[in-house]
Amino acid sequence: QVQLVESGGGSVQSGGSLRLSCAASGGIASSGCMGWFRQAPGKEREGVASVRSDGYSKYADSVRGRFKISRDNTNTLYLQMNSLVAEDTAMYFCAADPDEPYGGTCPFDWEYRYWGQGTQVTVSS
């Protein structure tokens, strides 16, 4: 049974930084798409960043240049978040899938098979 467990969320002031982690267990393949998503109260879930097994990444326009996604060879996924603003406040979820497209980045509407429970990020202005 694949499990994804996020950690690293918390409360921070505007301009601050946080690093989210997502530990994968249960035998998920080292290949495939992994991504971070977020959902703020009253809003739909949105893609934040995604990364292929070869490290090729994609970012939402709202976070490009401030956030960095990475993954290591244990299938732990990270999201380094810098220059946080109040609009980044949301529940952040990681997602993983054993498959990935033959080319290009992992799109945000990819059918991720596995999801974590989420970690809350709150940014105060």
Coordinates of all heavy atoms in Angstrom, one line a residue, residues 30-109:
S30 N 10.4 4.4 -8.6 CA 11.3 5.6 -8.6 C 11.0 6.4 -9.9 O 11.4 7.6 -9.9 CB 12.7 5.2 -8.6 OG 13.1 4.4 -9.7
S31 N 10.3 5.9 -10.9 CA 9.9 6.7 -12.0 C 8.6 7.3 -11.8 O 7.9 7.0 -10.8 CB 9.9 5.8 -13.3 OG 9.0 4.8 -13.1
G32 N 8.2 8.1 -12.7 CA 6.8 8.7 -12.6 C 6.7 10.1 -12.2 O 7.7 10.7 -11.7
C33 N 5.6 10.7 -12.3 CA 5.3 12.0 -11.9 C 5.1 12.2 -10.4 O 4.5 11.3 -9.8 CB 4.1 12.6 -12.6 SG 4.2 12.8 -14.3
M34 N 5.6 13.3 -9.8 CA 5.3 13.7 -8.5 C 5.0 15.1 -8.5 O 5.6 15.9 -9.3 CB 6.5 13.4 -7.5 CG 6.8 11.9 -7.4 SD 8.1 11.5 -6.1 CE 7.0 11.6 -4.6
G35 N 4.1 15.6 -7.6 CA 3.8 17.0 -7.7 C 3.3 17.5 -6.3 O 2.9 16.7 -5.4
W36 N 3.2 18.8 -6.3 CA 2.6 19.5 -5.1 C 1.4 20.3 -5.6 O 1.4 20.9 -6.6 CB 3.6 20.5 -4.5 CG 4.7 19.8 -3.7 CD1 6.0 19.6 -4.1 CD2 4.6 19.3 -2.4 NE1 6.7 19.0 -3.1 CE2 5.9 18.8 -2.0 CE3 3.6 19.3 -1.4 CZ2 6.1 18.2 -0.8 CZ3 3.8 18.7 -0.2 CH2 5.1 18.2 0.1
F37 N 0.3 20.2 -4.8 CA -0.9 20.9 -5.1 C -1.3 21.6 -3.8 O -0.8 21.3 -2.7 CB -2.0 19.9 -5.5 CG -1.7 19.2 -6.8 CD1 -0.8 18.2 -6.9 CD2 -2.4 19.6 -8.0 CE1 -0.6 17.6 -8.1 CE2 -2.1 19.0 -9.2 CZ -1.2 18.0 -9.2
R38 N -2.2 22.6 -4.0 CA -2.7 23.3 -2.8 C -4.1 23.7 -3.0 O -4.6 23.8 -4.1 CB -1.8 24.5 -2.5 CG -1.9 25.7 -3.6 CD -1.0 26.8 -3.2 NE -1.1 27.9 -4.2 CZ -0.2 28.9 -4.2 NH1 0.8 29.0 -3.3 NH2 -0.4 29.9 -5.1
Q39 N -4.8 23.8 -1.8 CA -6.2 24.2 -1.8 C -6.4 25.2 -0.7 O -6.2 24.8 0.5 CB -7.1 23.0 -1.7 CG -8.6 23.4 -1.9 CD -9.4 22.1 -2.1 OE1 -9.1 21.0 -1.8 NE2 -10.6 22.3 -2.7
A40 N -6.8 26.4 -1.0 CA -7.2 27.4 0.0 C -8.7 27.3 0.2 O -9.5 26.8 -0.6 CB -6.8 28.8 -0.6
P41 N -9.1 27.8 1.4 CA -10.5 27.7 1.7 C -11.4 28.4 0.7 O -11.1 29.5 0.3 CB -10.6 28.4 3.1 CG -9.3 28.3 3.7 CD -8.3 28.3 2.5
G42 N -12.4 27.7 0.2 CA -13.3 28.3 -0.7 C -12.8 28.3 -2.2 O -13.5 28.8 -3.1
K43 N -11.7 27.7 -2.4 CA -11.1 27.7 -3.7 C -10.8 26.2 -4.2 O -10.8 25.3 -3.4 CB -9.8 28.4 -3.8 CG -9.9 29.9 -3.5 CD -8.6 30.7 -3.7 CE -8.8 32.2 -3.6 NZ -7.5 32.9 -3.8
E44 N -10.7 26.1 -5.5 CA -10.4 24.8 -6.0 C -8.9 24.4 -5.8 O -8.1 25.3 -5.7 CB -10.8 24.7 -7.5 CG -12.2 24.8 -7.8 CD -12.6 24.6 -9.3 OE1 -11.6 24.4 -10.1 OE2 -13.8 24.5 -9.6
R45 N -8.7 23.1 -5.8 CA -7.3 22.7 -5.7 C -6.5 23.1 -7.0 O -7.1 23.0 -8.1 CB -7.2 21.2 -5.6 CG -5.8 20.6 -5.3 CD -5.9 19.1 -5.1 NE -6.4 18.4 -6.3 CZ -6.8 17.2 -6.4 NH1 -6.9 16.5 -5.2 NH2 -7.2 16.6 -7.5
E46 N -5.3 23.6 -6.8 CA -4.5 24.0 -8.0 C -3.1 23.4 -7.9 O -2.6 23.1 -6.8 CB -4.4 25.5 -8.0 CG -3.7 26.1 -6.8 CD -3.5 27.6 -6.9 OE1 -3.8 28.2 -8.0 OE2 -3.0 28.2 -6.0
G47 N -2.6 23.2 -9.1 CA -1.2 22.6 -9.2 C -0.2 23.7 -8.8 O -0.4 24.9 -9.2
V48 N 0.8 23.3 -8.1 CA 1.9 24.3 -7.7 C 3.1 24.0 -8.4 O 3.7 24.9 -9.0 CB 2.1 24.2 -6.1 CG1 3.3 25.0 -5.7 CG2 0.9 24.5 -5.4
A49 N 3.6 22.7 -8.4 CA 4.8 22.3 -9.1 C 4.7 20.8 -9.3 O 4.1 20.1 -8.5 CB 6.0 22.7 -8.3
S50 N 5.4 20.4 -10.3 CA 5.5 18.9 -10.6 C 6.9 18.6 -11.1 O 7.6 19.5 -11.6 CB 4.5 18.5 -11.6 OG 4.7 19.1 -12.9
V51 N 7.3 17.4 -11.0 CA 8.6 17.0 -11.4 C 8.6 15.5 -11.9 O 7.9 14.7 -11.4 CB 9.6 17.1 -10.3 CG1 9.3 16.2 -9.1 CG2 11.1 16.9 -10.8
R52 N 9.3 15.3 -13.0 CA 9.4 14.0 -13.6 C 10.6 13.2 -12.9 O 11.3 13.8 -12.1 CB 9.8 14.1 -15.1 CG 8.7 14.7 -16.0 CD 9.3 15.0 -17.3 NE 10.0 13.8 -17.9 CZ 9.5 13.0 -18.8 NH1 8.3 13.2 -19.2 NH2 10.2 12.0 -19.2
S53 N 10.7 12.0 -13.2 CA 11.8 11.2 -12.6 C 13.2 11.7 -13.0 O 14.2 11.5 -12.3 CB 11.7 9.7 -13.0 OG 11.7 9.6 -14.4
D54 N 13.3 12.4 -14.2 CA 14.5 12.9 -14.7 C 14.8 14.3 -14.2 O 15.8 15.0 -14.5 CB 14.6 12.9 -16.2 CG 13.5 13.7 -16.9 OD1 12.8 14.4 -16.2 OD2 13.4 13.6 -18.1
G55 N 13.9 14.8 -13.3 CA 14.1 16.1 -12.7 C 13.4 17.3 -13.5 O 13.5 18.4 -13.0
Y56 N 12.9 17.0 -14.6 CA 12.3 18.1 -15.5 C 11.0 18.6 -14.7 O 10.1 17.8 -14.4 CB 11.9 17.5 -16.8 CG 11.7 18.6 -17.9 CD1 12.3 19.8 -17.8 CD2 10.9 18.3 -19.0 CE1 12.1 20.8 -18.8 CE2 10.7 19.2 -20.0 CZ 11.3 20.4 -19.9 OH 11.1 21.4 -20.9
S57 N 11.0 19.9 -14.4 CA 9.9 20.4 -13.5 C 9.0 21.4 -14.2 O 9.4 22.0 -15.3 CB 10.5 21.0 -12.3 OG 11.5 22.0 -12.6
K58 N 7.9 21.6 -13.6 CA 6.9 22.6 -14.0 C 6.4 23.4 -12.8 O 6.3 22.8 -11.7 CB 5.7 21.8 -14.7 CG 4.6 22.7 -15.1 CD 3.4 21.8 -15.6 CE 2.2 22.6 -16.0 NZ 2.4 23.4 -17.2
Y59 N 6.1 24.7 -13.0 CA 5.7 25.5 -11.9 C 4.5 26.3 -12.4 O 4.3 26.7 -13.5 CB 6.8 26.5 -11.5 CG 8.0 25.8 -10.9 CD1 9.1 25.4 -11.6 CD2 8.0 25.5 -9.5 CE1 10.2 24.8 -11.1 CE2 9.1 24.9 -8.9 CZ 10.2 24.5 -9.7 OH 11.3 23.9 -9.2
A60 N 3.6 26.6 -11.4 CA 2.5 27.5 -11.6 C 3.1 28.9 -11.7 O 4.1 29.2 -11.1 CB 1.5 27.4 -10.5
D61 N 2.5 29.7 -12.5 CA 3.0 31.1 -12.7 C 3.1 31.8 -11.4 O 4.0 32.6 -11.2 CB 2.1 31.9 -13.7 CG 2.1 31.4 -15.1 OD1 3.1 30.7 -15.4 OD2 1.2 31.7 -15.9
S62 N 2.2 31.6 -10.5 CA 2.2 32.3 -9.2 C 3.3 32.0 -8.3 O 3.6 32.8 -7.4 CB 0.8 32.0 -8.5 OG 0.7 30.7 -8.2
V63 N 4.0 30.9 -8.6 CA 5.1 30.5 -7.6 C 6.5 30.4 -8.3 O 7.5 30.3 -7.7 CB 4.8 29.2 -7.0 CG1 3.5 29.2 -6.3 CG2 4.9 28.0 -7.9
R64 N 6.5 30.6 -9.7 CA 7.7 30.4 -10.4 C 8.7 31.5 -9.9 O 8.4 32.7 -9.8 CB 7.5 30.6 -11.9 CG 8.7 30.3 -12.7 CD 8.4 30.3 -14.2 NE 7.5 29.2 -14.6 CZ 6.3 29.4 -15.0 NH1 5.8 30.6 -15.1 NH2 5.5 28.4 -15.3
G65 N 9.9 31.1 -9.6 CA 11.0 31.9 -9.2 C 11.0 32.0 -7.6 O 12.0 32.6 -7.1
R66 N 10.0 31.6 -7.0 CA 10.0 31.6 -5.5 C 10.0 30.2 -4.9 O 10.6 30.0 -3.8 CB 8.7 32.3 -5.0 CG 8.5 33.7 -5.5 CD 7.3 34.4 -4.8 NE 6.1 33.8 -5.1 CZ 5.2 33.3 -4.2 NH1 5.5 33.3 -2.9 NH2 4.1 32.7 -4.6
F67 N 9.4 29.2 -5.6 CA 9.4 27.9 -5.1 C 10.3 27.0 -5.9 O 10.5 27.2 -7.1 CB 7.9 27.3 -5.2 CG 6.9 27.9 -4.3 CD1 7.2 29.0 -3.5 CD2 5.7 27.3 -4.1 CE1 6.3 29.6 -2.6 CE2 4.7 27.9 -3.3 CZ 5.0 29.0 -2.5
K68 N 10.8 25.9 -5.3 CA 11.6 24.9 -6.0 C 11.2 23.5 -5.6 O 11.2 23.2 -4.4 CB 13.1 25.2 -5.8 CG 14.0 24.2 -6.6 CD 15.4 24.5 -6.4 CE 16.3 23.5 -7.0 NZ 16.1 23.4 -8.5
I69 N 10.9 22.7 -6.6 CA 10.5 21.3 -6.3 C 11.7 20.4 -6.6 O 12.5 20.7 -7.5 CB 9.3 20.9 -7.2 CG1 8.8 19.6 -6.8 CG2 9.7 20.9 -8.7 CD1 7.4 19.2 -7.4
S70 N 11.9 19.4 -5.8 CA 13.0 18.4 -6.0 C 12.5 17.1 -5.5 O 11.6 17.0 -4.7 CB 14.3 18.9 -5.4 OG 14.1 19.1 -4.0
R71 N 13.2 16.1 -5.9 CA 13.0 14.7 -5.4 C 14.3 14.0 -5.3 O 15.2 14.3 -6.1 CB 12.0 14.0 -6.3 CG 12.5 13.7 -7.7 CD 11.4 13.3 -8.7 NE 11.0 11.9 -8.5 CZ 10.1 11.3 -9.2 NH1 9.4 12.0 -10.1 NH2 9.7 10.1 -9.0
D72 N 14.4 13.1 -4.4 CA 15.7 12.4 -4.2 C 15.5 10.9 -4.6 O 14.4 10.5 -5.0 CB 16.3 12.5 -2.8 CG 15.4 11.9 -1.7 OD1 14.5 11.0 -2.1 OD2 15.5 12.3 -0.6
N73 N 16.5 10.1 -4.5 CA 16.4 8.7 -5.0 C 15.7 7.8 -4.1 O 15.6 6.6 -4.3 CB 17.8 8.2 -5.3 CG 18.7 8.3 -4.1 OD1 18.3 8.6 -3.0 ND2 20.0 8.0 -4.3
T74 N 15.2 8.3 -3.0 CA 14.3 7.5 -2.1 C 12.8 7.9 -2.4 O 12.0 7.5 -1.6 CB 14.6 7.8 -0.6 OG1 14.3 9.1 -0.3 CG2 16.1 7.5 -0.4
N75 N 12.6 8.7 -3.4 CA 11.2 9.1 -3.7 C 10.7 10.1 -2.7 O 9.4 10.1 -2.5 CB 10.3 8.0 -4.0 CG 10.2 7.6 -5.4 OD1 10.7 8.3 -6.3 ND2 9.7 6.4 -5.7
T76 N 11.5 10.8 -2.0 CA 11.1 11.8 -1.1 C 11.0 13.1 -1.9 O 11.9 13.5 -2.7 CB 12.0 12.1 0.1 OG1 12.1 10.9 0.9 CG2 11.5 13.2 1.0
L77 N 9.8 13.8 -1.9 CA 9.6 15.0 -2.6 C 9.7 16.2 -1.7 O 9.3 16.1 -0.6 CB 8.2 14.9 -3.2 CG 7.8 16.0 -4.2 CD1 8.6 16.0 -5.5 CD2 6.3 15.9 -4.5
Y78 N 10.3 17.2 -2.3 CA 10.5 18.5 -1.5 C 9.9 19.7 -2.2 O 9.8 19.7 -3.4 CB 12.0 18.7 -1.2 CG 12.7 17.6 -0.5 CD1 13.4 16.7 -1.3 CD2 12.6 17.5 0.9 CE1 14.0 15.6 -0.6 CE2 13.3 16.5 1.5 CZ 14.0 15.5 0.8 OH 14.6 14.5 1.4
L79 N 9.5 20.7 -1.4 CA 9.1 21.9 -2.0 C 9.7 23.0 -1.1 O 9.3 23.2 0.0 CB 7.6 22.1 -2.1 CG 7.1 23.4 -2.8 CD1 7.4 23.3 -4.3 CD2 5.6 23.6 -2.6
Q80 N 10.7 23.7 -1.7 CA 11.3 24.8 -1.0 C 10.5 26.1 -1.4 O 10.4 26.4 -2.6 CB 12.8 25.0 -1.4 CG 13.5 26.2 -0.8 CD 13.6 26.1 0.7 OE1 13.9 25.0 1.3 NE2 13.3 27.2 1.5
M81 N 10.0 26.7 -0.4 CA 9.1 27.9 -0.6 C 9.8 29.1 0.0 O 9.9 29.2 1.2 CB 7.7 27.7 0.0 CG 7.1 26.4 -0.5 SD 5.3 26.2 0.0 CE 5.6 26.1 1.8
N82 N 10.1 30.1 -0.9 CA 10.7 31.3 -0.4 C 9.8 32.5 -0.7 O 8.9 32.4 -1.6 CB 12.1 31.5 -1.1 CG 13.1 30.4 -0.8 OD1 13.1 29.8 0.4 ND2 13.9 30.0 -1.7
S83 N 10.1 33.6 -0.1 CA 9.4 34.8 -0.4 C 7.9 34.6 -0.3 O 7.1 35.0 -1.2 CB 9.7 35.4 -1.7 OG 11.1 35.7 -1.8
L84 N 7.4 33.9 0.8 CA 6.0 33.6 0.9 C 5.2 34.8 1.1 O 5.6 35.8 1.7 CB 5.8 32.6 2.1 CG 6.3 31.2 1.8 CD1 6.5 30.4 3.1 CD2 5.3 30.4 0.9
V85 N 4.0 34.7 0.5 CA 3.0 35.8 0.6 C 1.7 35.2 1.1 O 1.5 34.0 1.1 CB 2.8 36.5 -0.7 CG1 4.0 37.2 -1.2 CG2 2.3 35.5 -1.8
A86 N 0.8 36.1 1.6 CA -0.5 35.6 2.2 C -1.3 34.7 1.2 O -1.9 33.8 1.7 CB -1.3 36.8 2.6
E87 N -1.1 35.0 -0.1 CA -1.9 34.2 -1.1 C -1.4 32.8 -1.2 O -2.0 32.0 -1.8 CB -1.8 34.9 -2.4 CG -2.6 36.2 -2.5 CD -1.9 37.4 -1.8 OE1 -0.7 37.3 -1.6 OE2 -2.6 38.3 -1.5
D88 N -0.2 32.5 -0.5 CA 0.3 31.1 -0.5 C -0.4 30.3 0.6 O -0.2 29.1 0.6 CB 1.8 31.1 -0.4 CG 2.5 31.7 -1.5 OD1 2.1 31.5 -2.7 OD2 3.5 32.5 -1.3
T89 N -1.2 30.9 1.4 CA -1.8 30.2 2.5 C -2.8 29.1 1.9 O -3.7 29.5 1.1 CB -2.6 31.2 3.4 OG1 -1.7 32.0 4.0 CG2 -3.4 30.4 4.4
A90 N -2.6 27.9 2.3 CA -3.4 26.8 1.8 C -3.0 25.5 2.5 O -2.0 25.4 3.1 CB -3.2 26.7 0.3
M91 N -3.8 24.5 2.2 CA -3.4 23.1 2.5 C -2.6 22.6 1.3 O -3.1 22.7 0.2 CB -4.6 22.2 2.8 CG -4.2 20.8 3.2 SD -3.6 20.7 4.9 CE -5.1 20.9 5.8
Y92 N -1.4 22.1 1.6 CA -0.6 21.6 0.5 C -0.6 20.1 0.5 O -0.3 19.4 1.6 CB 0.9 22.1 0.7 CG 1.0 23.6 0.3 CD1 0.4 24.6 1.0 CD2 1.7 23.9 -0.9 CE1 0.5 25.9 0.6 CE2 1.8 25.3 -1.3 CZ 1.2 26.3 -0.5 OH 1.3 27.6 -0.9
F93 N -0.8 19.5 -0.7 CA -0.8 18.1 -0.8 C 0.3 17.6 -1.8 O 0.5 18.3 -2.8 CB -2.2 17.6 -1.4 CG -3.3 18.0 -0.6 CD1 -4.0 19.3 -0.8 CD2 -3.9 17.2 0.3 CE1 -5.1 19.6 0.0 CE2 -5.0 17.5 1.1 CZ -5.6 18.7 0.9
C94 N 0.9 16.5 -1.5 CA 1.8 15.9 -2.5 C 1.0 14.8 -3.2 O 0.1 14.2 -2.7 CB 3.1 15.4 -1.9 SG 3.0 13.9 -0.9
A95 N 1.4 14.5 -4.4 CA 0.8 13.5 -5.2 C 1.9 12.7 -6.0 O 2.9 13.3 -6.3 CB -0.2 14.1 -6.2
A96 N 1.6 11.5 -6.3 CA 2.6 10.6 -7.0 C 1.9 9.7 -7.9 O 0.7 9.3 -7.6 CB 3.5 9.9 -6.0
D97 N 2.5 9.3 -9.0 CA 2.0 8.3 -9.9 C 3.1 7.6 -10.5 O 4.2 8.2 -10.8 CB 1.2 9.1 -11.0 CG 0.4 8.1 -11.9 OD1 -0.7 7.7 -11.4 OD2 0.9 7.7 -12.9
P98 N 3.0 6.3 -10.7 CA 4.1 5.5 -11.3 C 4.4 5.8 -12.8 O 5.4 5.4 -13.3 CB 3.7 4.1 -11.1 CG 2.2 4.1 -11.0 CD 1.9 5.4 -10.3
D99 N 3.5 6.5 -13.4 CA 3.7 6.8 -14.8 C 4.1 8.2 -15.1 O 3.8 9.1 -14.2 CB 2.4 6.5 -15.6 CG 2.1 5.0 -15.6 OD1 3.0 4.2 -15.6 OD2 0.9 4.7 -15.5
E100 N 4.6 8.5 -16.2 CA 4.9 9.9 -16.6 C 4.8 10.0 -18.1 O 4.9 9.0 -18.8 CB 6.2 10.4 -16.1 CG 7.4 9.5 -16.6 CD 8.7 9.9 -16.0 OE1 8.7 10.6 -14.9 OE2 9.8 9.5 -16.5
P101 N 4.5 11.2 -18.6 CA 4.4 11.3 -20.1 C 5.8 11.0 -20.8 O 6.8 11.1 -20.2 CB 4.0 12.8 -20.3 CG 4.4 13.5 -19.0 CD 4.3 12.4 -17.9
Y102 N 5.7 10.6 -22.0 CA 6.9 10.3 -22.8 C 7.8 11.5 -23.0 O 9.0 11.4 -23.2 CB 6.6 9.7 -24.1 CG 6.1 8.3 -24.0 CD1 4.7 8.0 -24.3 CD2 6.9 7.2 -23.6 CE1 4.2 6.7 -24.2 CE2 6.4 5.9 -23.5 CZ 5.1 5.7 -23.7 OH 4.6 4.4 -23.6
G103 N 7.2 12.7 -23.0 CA 8.0 13.9 -23.2 C 7.4 15.0 -22.4 O 6.2 15.0 -22.0
G104 N 8.1 16.1 -22.3 CA 7.6 17.3 -21.6 C 7.5 17.1 -20.1 O 8.0 16.2 -19.5
T105 N 6.8 18.1 -19.5 CA 6.6 18.0 -18.0 C 5.4 17.2 -17.6 O 4.6 16.9 -18.4 CB 6.5 19.5 -17.5 OG1 5.4 20.1 -18.1 CG2 7.7 20.3 -17.8
C106 N 5.3 17.0 -16.3 CA 4.1 16.3 -15.8 C 3.0 17.4 -15.7 O 3.2 18.3 -14.8 CB 4.4 15.7 -14.4 SG 5.6 14.3 -14.5
P107 N 2.0 17.3 -16.4 CA 0.9 18.3 -16.3 C 0.2 18.3 -15.0 O 0.1 17.2 -14.4 CB 0.0 18.0 -17.5 CG 0.2 16.5 -17.8 CD 1.7 16.3 -17.4
F108 N -0.4 19.4 -14.7 CA -1.1 19.5 -13.4 C -2.4 18.6 -13.4 O -3.0 18.3 -12.4 CB -1.4 20.9 -13.0 CG -0.2 21.7 -12.6 CD1 -0.1 23.0 -13.0 CD2 0.9 21.1 -11.9 CE1 1.0 23.8 -12.6 CE2 2.0 21.8 -11.6 CZ 2.1 23.1 -11.9
D109 N -3.0 18.4 -14.6 CA -4.2 17.6 -14.7 C -3.8 16.1 -14.9 O -4.7 15.3 -15.3 CB -5.1 18.1 -15.8 CG -4.4 18.0 -17.2 OD1 -3.2 17.7 -17.3 OD2 -5.1 18.4 -18.2

